[in-house]
Amino acid sequence: MLDIKVTRSEHLKQKPADETALGFGRLFTDHMFVMDYEEGRGWHDAQILPYGCFAMDPASMVLHYGQAIFEGMKCYRRADGHLQLFRPRDNFARMTRSAQRMGMPALDEETALEGLLQLIRIEADWVPHRDGTSLYIRPTMISMDVGLGVHASRTYRFFIILSPVGAYYKEGLKPVSIYVEDEYVRAVRGGVGFTKCAGNYAASILAGDVAEKKGYSQVLWLDGVEQKYVEEVGSMNMMFAYGNKIVTPKLNGSILPGITRDSILKLARQLGYETVEDRLNIHEIFADAKSGKLTEAFGTGTAAVISPVGVLAMKDEKITLGDGGIGVLSQKLYDTLTGIQYGRLPDENGWILPVND
Ligand SMILES: *Cc1c(COP(=O)(O)O)cnc(C)c1O
């Protein structure tokens, strides 16, 4: 693990007074963590320094060829004031897997985690207190070589910034309407679908905008070959419930292996539900929704934890799932996982890492 040099900011920002108006990813704390990589030298110069701009050459490779990957996780404040992280090692391990696919160096995961813990201890007062709020953590890695030749960069920067975020649900779980995307695709087998790379998001923005104009909050992606099998939704994995059985697309290389997905599958089994990971035909899902066999559908991801699907639409077809409200299972899984994350329920899976006790 590298030594981490700390330089404190001399001009601390005003903390937000109204925690109901935080929104998502708009405010950033006083400090950030940065470390650099150079081929032959490895990761070096790990430091915490005042939050601020990077000076970048316009020929920096990331701006042209897009070697950029990120992670998303949260720090939660318990009722007793202590702060805790949820499976942070899994996020850093996933970042290394993203890096390898993108021709980038493996992260120094131990230094990244230690840097994150030290950074949060410095910024502890930025972790909001209100129910459902948290401190969102955004680790990012970008290529830094200057020049337009197409090759893997020899220099990289890794950084972590922190943002206090409001409760995703202000008045309890809320069902969303989802549009099944039948024109554009997000990822193909052999591609970069399983990585959290910036380009996956760039490629998805247009379809999201089109769906939003039609009145849907997100798109459901189908596979990139036959456009027939369910992949995932926006920045969430998808799950479908048939009574006591939960089915979800299996990890096939083109969908993102969500940490919430993995946690929900484990919790569901521990709660006595059956879980199945398989290839899911969208036409069968629609038929099952119409016949009533399909009882609930929901997305899973760090931001919302669980996002129940009320309406699913494809071409001219539009179906309401169940009564269009929040399913019993969605609510139960949401309460259980958020209970663990906020320290209201015991953590029997070793998922919680305390920050400051
Ligand atoms: C981050 C992300 C998810 C959810 O992953 P979590 O680890 O559960 O937050 C799902 N799909 C995509 C495309 C993502 O980028």
Side-chain angles (χ1 to χ4, degrees), residues 113-128:
L113 183 58
E114 182 54 32
L116 174 61
L117 290 169
Q118 287 193 27
L119 180 62
I120 296 176
R121 286 177 199 132
I122 290 172
E123 307 289 50
D125 291 345
W126 280 96
V127 185

Side-chain angles (χ1 to χ4, degrees), residues 178-327:
I178 301 282
Y179 186 74
V180 179
E181 179 56 55
D182 56 11
E183 185 179 358
Y184 306 112
V185 298
R186 172 185 171 272
V188 290
R189 245 138 276 166
V192 295
F194 71 92
T195 72
K196 241 177 150 62
C197 75
N200 283 340
Y201 280 77
S204 75
I205 283 171
L206 174 61
D209 280 354
V210 172
E212 208 177 311
K213 289 206 182 84
K214 290 183 190 156
Y216 299 94
S217 60
Q218 300 212 38
V219 302
L220 184 150
W221 298 104
L222 298 176
D223 74 280
V225 181
E226 295 172 73
Q227 288 186 265
K228 197 161 101 184
Y229 300 102
V230 176
E231 298 250 297
E232 58 183 309
V233 168
S235 52
M236 290 189 293
N237 295 109
M238 269 308 291
M239 300 201 181
F240 301 89
Y242 292 80
N244 282 336
K245 185 167 85 178
I246 299 172
V247 301
T248 192
K250 67 167 178 249
L251 301 177
N252 57 3
S254 56
I255 68 175
L256 201 288
I259 291 163
T260 318
R261 173 190 181 277
D262 184 71
S263 308
I264 288 290
L265 288 176
K266 284 210 179 82
L267 286 177
R269 287 193 291 270
Q270 289 164 356
L271 290 167
Y273 294 89
E274 184 194 346
T275 64
V276 178
E277 299 175 57
D278 203 353
R279 203 161 73 152
L280 308 180
N281 184 317
I282 189 68
H283 303 292
E284 283 168 25
I285 298 276
F286 262 73
D288 293 343
K290 270 188 230 155
S291 74
K293 260 170 74 187
L294 177 68
T295 44
E296 289 179 42
F298 53 91
T300 67
T302 295
V305 180
I306 296 271
S307 189
V309 177
V311 171
L312 201 55
M314 180 166 62
K315 294 200 164 78
D316 303 328
E317 257 189 302
K318 191 164 169 176
I319 41 172
T320 302
L321 296 175
D323 60 3
I326 300 136

Side-chain angles (χ1 to χ4, degrees), residues 92-158:
F92 289 132
R94 183 168 69 187
M95 188 164 223
T96 286
R97 291 198 302 276
S98 294
Q100 279 160 348
R101 176 62 184 85
M102 302 292 286
M104 303 168 87
L107 183 63
D108 174 346
E109 293 170 32
E110 282 310 305
T111 302
L113 183 58
E114 182 54 32
L116 174 61
L117 290 169
Q118 287 193 27
L119 180 62
I120 296 176
R121 286 177 199 132
I122 290 172
E123 307 289 50
D125 291 345
W126 280 96
V127 185
H129 298 72
R130 258 185 103 85
D131 219 25
T133 62
S134 58
L135 186 70
Y136 185 76
I137 300 161
R138 172 51 62 86
T140 308
M141 193 197 296
I142 54 174
S143 57
M144 294 295 280
D145 275 13
V146 172
L148 300 182
V150 179
H151 56 79
S153 175
R154 283 170 297 268
T155 54
Y156 294 87
R157 173 160 293 174
F158 169 81

